[in-house]
Amino acid sequence: MTTESIADPPLGAVPPHFTELMWPALPGVVDEITAAIRTLIPAYDRPDESTYHRIMTLGVETLVRGFIVRVGDPSAPSIERNATARALGHFEAVEGRSLDELNAAFRVALRICWHRTAEAAWREHIPAGVIAAMAETMIDYVDEVSEQTVIGYRSAQARADLARKDARKALLAAILQQGRPVPGDAEFRTLALAADWVVPAQVTPVVVAAGTKFTRSALDPDVLAETDSYQPCLLVPGKAGPARLAMLSAVLEDAPSVIGCTVPIDQTPDALRWARRVLALSEARVIGEDGAVPPLTRCDDHLVTVLLTSDASMTRYLAGRHLAPLRDLSPATRQRAIDTLREWVTSRGSAVEVADRLGVHPQTVRYRLRQMEDLVGEQLKDPTSRFVLELTLRAAYLQRRP
C-alpha cells in the first residue's frame, strides 16, 4: 500500500467565482458576527446608535472584507486591514481592557465565517482539499490580525504610559512648589486626574542620595517619584508603615535615604526641606555613627538637630555671647569646661553620671562645675538663660562634630 503526500492546494486553486459568492453575503455575515459578539461578550454589548457599536461594526466589516480580498488575491496589500486591527488594539488599551475580549471576538467571527464559507462551498461542490485550505487560510488571517492588534495595543500603552509619566512628573513638581495652594487648585486636580493619582490627605516625602540606583519596578503604583534629578525624591501617600518600608527597602536597597515627616499635602515642601537637611547632616557625619549614612533614616528622629544646625552664624554669635566668660581660659581647658557643662546641662545628671559619660573622674567633674559656677553662674540660675545656654551648647557641639 502506498501513500501520497497531500499538500494544501494553493490559494489560487479556489474557483474564481467563489469570492463572487462571498461578496453578496458580506452584510449578512457582518450583522451575524456583531450580533453574536454582543450576545457572547458583555463588554461589547452597547446600543446600536452608540459610537462604541459603530466602531465595532466598522471593524468587523473591514476585517471580513479584507479576508475576501485576501482569498481573491493573496498578493493584495493589507494596509487597511492592518490599520484597522491596530486601531482595535489601541481602542482596547484606551478602554483599559486586556486583549482577551478582542481575541474572544475574533474566535466568534472565525467560527461564523467558517460556517458560512463551508455552506457556500458545499452548495458549489467545492473540493474538500480547497475547503481545508480555506480553513487554514482563515486561521492564518486571524493570527495576522491578532499580531496587528497587539502592535496597536502596545503602542497605545506606551503612549499612555509616557503621558501618565509626564503627568506624574508635573503633578509632583506642583506638590513640591512652595506656597502653592495644592488641595484647592483646579490645575492640580486636572494633573492628578491625568496622572491617575488619588490625592491623599497626608503624604510622606522620601529623599535619596544623589546617584542612587533605583529598582523602579518595586515601587508601589501610587508612589510619585523623581529619580532622574540630582536631588531624587519619592512621595508616598499616607504614612510610611511596615508595608511601605518594605517597599522602600526593595526600591532603594541600602542607599542613603531619609523618610520625611508625614504632613498634609500642602505642607510637602517644608517636610521635603527638612528631610533633605537631615540627609545633608548625615552625609556631613553630624547624624549617624562611624561616618556611615544610614538607609531609611527617619526625619522625625532628628528634627531638633535640624533646628539647632539651621543657622551656623547665629550659633557662633550665641556661643560668643553666652560663653564669653570662658574666653580667658586656654583652648584645651575651655573645651573641656564646655563639654562638661554641656553634659551636665543637657542630661541633668549627677557628677558621677556626667563623669561616666565623659570618661573622667567624678571629682574632675565637680571641679569643672564649680569653675563654671563662678564663670556662668548667673545664666544657670535664670530659667530662660539656662535654656538658651543649653541650646547654644548643643548647637555648638553639633557644629564641630565632623
Side-chain angles (χ1 to χ4, degrees):
M1 180 178 180
T2 61
T3 58
E4 296 181 358
S5 176
I6 302 176
D8 291 332
L11 213 51
V14 177
H17 69 282
F18 191 77
T19 54
E20 297 174 6
L21 297 174
M22 298 172 73
W23 284 116
L26 176 63
V29 170
V30 169
D31 289 343
E32 185 177 356
I33 290 173
T34 54
I37 289 174
R38 292 171 66 182
T39 299
L40 298 173
I41 307 174
Y44 297 138
D45 187 14
R46 303 296 176 90
D48 291 348
E49 66 277 7
S50 67
T51 301
Y52 206 102
H53 178 70
R54 289 197 295 271
I55 291 173
M56 180 179 68
T57 302
L58 179 61
V60 170
E61 180 179 352
T62 302
L63 294 179
V64 174
R65 182 186 299 276
F67 175 72
I68 298 174
V69 171
R70 170 76 170 272
V71 170
D73 180 8
S75 64
S78 302
I79 297 174
E80 184 180 15
R81 181 206 70 179
N82 291 346
T84 299
R86 291 180 183 180
L88 291 174
H90 182 280
F91 185 76
E92 293 299 290
V94 171
E95 288 295 303
R97 289 192 294 263
S98 69
L99 288 173
D100 292 345
E101 284 89 350
L102 186 58
N103 287 329
F106 287 157
R107 290 192 293 271
V108 170
L110 175 62
R111 185 171 63 251
I112 291 173
C113 284
W114 168 243
H115 287 165
R116 299 299 160 256
T117 300
E119 289 172 359
W122 182 262
R123 287 195 305 269
E124 296 299 318
H125 305 290
I126 303 297
V130 174
I131 297 175
M134 284 290 295
E136 187 149 343
T137 299
M138 282 187 179
I139 294 173
D140 290 343
Y141 183 81
V142 171
D143 286 345
E144 293 169 7
V145 169
S146 296
E147 290 175 0
Q148 295 299 316
T149 63
V150 170
I151 293 173
Y153 187 85
R154 289 178 177 171
S155 175
Q157 280 189 320
R159 286 197 293 271
D161 287 346
L162 183 60
R164 180 172 172 269
K165 182 179 179 181
D166 290 343
R168 289 202 160 198
K169 288 185 70 172
L171 177 64
L172 182 57
I175 295 172
L176 300 183
Q177 184 176 334
Q178 186 74 47
R180 188 186 185 94
V182 171
D185 189 19
E187 180 185 351
F188 173 77
R189 292 197 300 271
T190 301
L191 283 173
L193 184 63
D196 191 25
W197 197 67
V198 178
V199 181
Q202 293 183 311
V203 294
T204 303
V206 179
V207 298
V208 191
T212 294
K213 293 183 179 180
F214 295 83
T215 305
R216 292 175 178 82
S217 60
L219 275 172
D220 286 345
D222 59 346
V223 174
L224 301 181
E226 173 52 81
T227 59
D228 299 324
S229 169
Y230 72 97
Q231 288 185 317
C233 68
L234 310 173
L235 194 64
V236 177
K239 296 182 178 180
R244 293 293 198 186
L245 291 177
M247 178 271 297
L248 290 171
S249 294
V251 172
L252 304 175
E253 297 183 357
D254 294 326
S257 54
V258 175
I259 299 173
C261 303
T262 301
V263 296
I265 192 168
D266 58 344
Q267 295 177 22
T268 304
D270 291 327
L272 183 71
R273 176 167 49 83
W274 304 336
R276 282 180 173 156
R277 179 59 179 161
V278 170
L279 181 62
L281 291 171
S282 294
E283 292 173 336
R285 302 183 182 180
V286 175
I287 293 174
E289 302 296 333
D290 302 325
V293 182
L296 296 181
T297 300
R298 283 196 176 274
C299 186
D300 276 322
D301 297 337
H302 302 283
L303 290 177
V304 172
T305 301
V306 171
L307 182 63
L308 293 177
T309 59
S310 60
D311 193 327
S313 60
M314 182 179 290
T315 297
R316 288 191 295 271
Y317 173 79
L318 288 172
R321 176 180 176 182
H322 291 279
L323 300 178
L326 280 64
R327 67 165 58 107
D328 293 334
L329 301 176
S330 68
T333 302
R334 183 174 185 272
Q335 191 58 59
R336 287 194 295 267
I338 289 175
D339 289 342
T340 303
L341 184 60
R342 185 192 70 252
E343 287 294 341
W344 182 68
V345 170
T346 57
S347 68
R348 304 294 197 269
S350 65
V352 174
E353 292 170 331
V354 173
D356 184 62
R357 292 171 66 90
L358 293 174
V360 299
H361 194 279
Q363 191 59 35
T364 301
V365 171
R366 293 187 184 97
Y367 169 76
R368 293 176 184 174
L369 289 178
R370 283 195 297 270
Q371 189 180 29
M372 291 300 99
E373 181 74 24
D374 293 337
L375 293 172
V376 294
E378 292 303 315
Q379 295 185 57
L380 296 176
K381 292 176 183 178
D382 179 66
T384 301
S385 296
R386 182 187 179 107
F387 175 69
V388 173
L389 179 61
E390 178 181 348
L391 292 181
T392 301
L393 290 166
R394 286 176 179 265
Y397 169 73
L398 290 170
Q399 202 171 82
R400 68 181 177 84
R401 235 190 110 180

